[in-house]
Amino acid sequence: MTSQLDQLKRHTIVVADTGDFRQIAAYAPRDATTNPSLILKAVRQPDYAPLLAQTVAAHRGEPLDLAVDRVLVRFGCEILAVVPGRVSTEVDARLSFDAAATQARAERLIAMYAAEGIARERVLIKIAATWEGIQAARALEARGIHTNLTLLFAFCQAQACGEAGVRLISPFVGRIHDWYKKAAGPAWDAAAQAGVNDPGVQSVARIWRHFKAHGVATEVMGASFRNVGQILALSGCDLLTIAPELLAELQAAPAEPGAAPALDAATVPPATAPAPRLDEAAFRYALNEDAMATEKLAEGIRAFAADAAKLDAMILAL
């Protein structure tokens, strides 16, 4: 049986969104993404507790932030043993408003991967898409260190990333959906706001079309899905990063014969004029005007920072 997952792979690069590398092989994704919450979830499992303990014990006495990065890289190396492509490893979210510190941490992560024999082309450094994060990514890309800008909710974030030469962006779908659903309250019509009408899907599709129309080389990877319908409504997007639970649903469902991709670059006409460029003031004002993006970006940084602190505590306890 040809599955929906098989069908999706014909149009889109499928990426596994997990730190649980033992789950990945069953779905044969090309790449994998992690974040502080996913790594924390993985190290709390009994199967991964020895890996955490061994990594920390091998480098006992090092500063805490260095120990954390060693754990992230260890998981990244294990993932790269399973996937043929790239892994995304995230810089500490507590550095989201410090461009210099973000750049330094990214360079250290790449050096750690290099020490394990991993070429930098197989690693994407995940950075929150704040103004400072985007400027750090600009500097890193200039040095041949490729980045994945995450916690991306607003069009201005995507535009600034494209202008900075970022390799890949991860615009979120599910968290945008959640915000609009909560804002609508009892008036929310789930059926009417599904599929291509989902506000999160529409946000990613708008970014993707803009990049194709303007010849922006930055890859667009839809992320943070709540259901299979959102995923299928973005088939044809450059990449989609999908949690194992949803990968399993796609793998179990039969393909729809003759289904065309929802996004088709051949149907996007080229732009007739260049897009106006964003300086810092314009970026900050545009982000401020988008209440959803402002709230979800702040909320996401706080959540990742909280999980980073929990991982710190686990390491200190060993």
Side-chain angles (χ1 to χ4, degrees), residues 54-79:
Q54 291 163 10
T55 304
V56 173
H59 303 282
R60 195 165 306 280
E62 290 185 342
L64 177 60
D65 62 300
L66 186 56
V68 170
D69 282 355
R70 291 199 186 279
V71 170
L72 300 183
V73 170
R74 176 68 186 276
F75 269 83
C77 289
E78 296 287 350
I79 288 169

Side-chain angles (χ1 to χ4, degrees), residues 11-12 86 101 111 122 129 160 246 293 299 308 316 318:
H11 309 300
T12 294
R86 305 170 295 189
R122 297 196 69 198
L246 293 175
E299 177 186 279
L316 288 171
L318 290 173

Side-chain angles (χ1 to χ4, degrees), residues 20 110 248 284:
D20 186 345
I110 287 295
R284 292 193 185 280

Side-chain angles (χ1 to χ4, degrees), residues 18-234:
T18 181
D20 186 345
F21 52 82
R22 292 189 175 95
Q23 284 187 309
I24 293 175
Y27 308 110
R30 195 196 73 176
D31 298 349
T33 55
T34 65
N35 63 44
S37 301
L38 293 175
I39 294 296
L40 180 65
K41 181 180 178 181
V43 298
R44 283 173 166 168
Q45 298 179 39
D47 286 350
Y48 294 109
L51 184 149
L52 175 65
Q54 291 163 10
T55 304
V56 173
H59 303 282
R60 195 165 306 280
E62 290 185 342
L64 177 60
D65 62 300
L66 186 56
V68 170
D69 282 355
R70 291 199 186 279
V71 170
L72 300 183
V73 170
R74 176 68 186 276
F75 269 83
C77 289
E78 296 287 350
I79 288 169
L80 288 172
V82 180
V83 303
R86 305 170 295 189
V87 67
S88 290
T89 297
E90 191 151 348
V91 169
D92 192 325
R94 292 168 290 191
L95 303 178
S96 294
F97 301 101
D98 187 332
T102 294
Q103 183 179 344
R105 188 67 66 88
E107 290 170 348
R108 187 170 76 184
L109 287 167
I110 287 295
M112 286 181 172
Y113 274 112
E116 296 296 329
I118 304 297
R120 63 174 56 186
E121 289 75 20
R122 297 196 69 198
V123 181
L124 292 171
I125 300 297
K126 282 183 81 173
I127 299 169
T130 58
W131 178 258
E132 294 81 3
I134 295 168
Q135 301 320 302
R138 184 193 299 275
L140 290 164
E141 292 286 353
R143 296 195 56 192
I145 297 172
H146 298 309
T147 56
N148 169 358
L149 273 287
T150 188
L151 293 176
L152 196 148
F153 305 97
F155 184 80
C156 65
Q157 291 175 287
Q159 184 181 347
C161 287
E163 292 175 4
V166 166
R167 174 57 58 93
L168 179 147
I169 60 171
S170 297
F172 282 27
V173 175
R175 297 192 197 192
I176 294 176
H177 169 97
D178 296 346
W179 190 92
Y180 281 101
K181 181 178 179 180
K182 182 179 179 181
W188 178 259
D189 186 334
Q193 303 294 327
V196 296
N197 295 321
D198 185 294
V201 169
Q202 291 181 337
S203 176
V204 177
R206 179 192 176 196
I207 292 166
W208 179 87
R209 291 191 180 98
H210 175 84
F211 281 10
K212 298 309 175 194
H214 288 273
V216 177
T218 298
E219 301 168 40
V220 179
M221 181 171 71
S224 171
F225 294 104
R226 297 292 180 259
N227 55 64
V228 165
Q230 293 172 336
I231 296 168
L232 297 179
L234 286 170

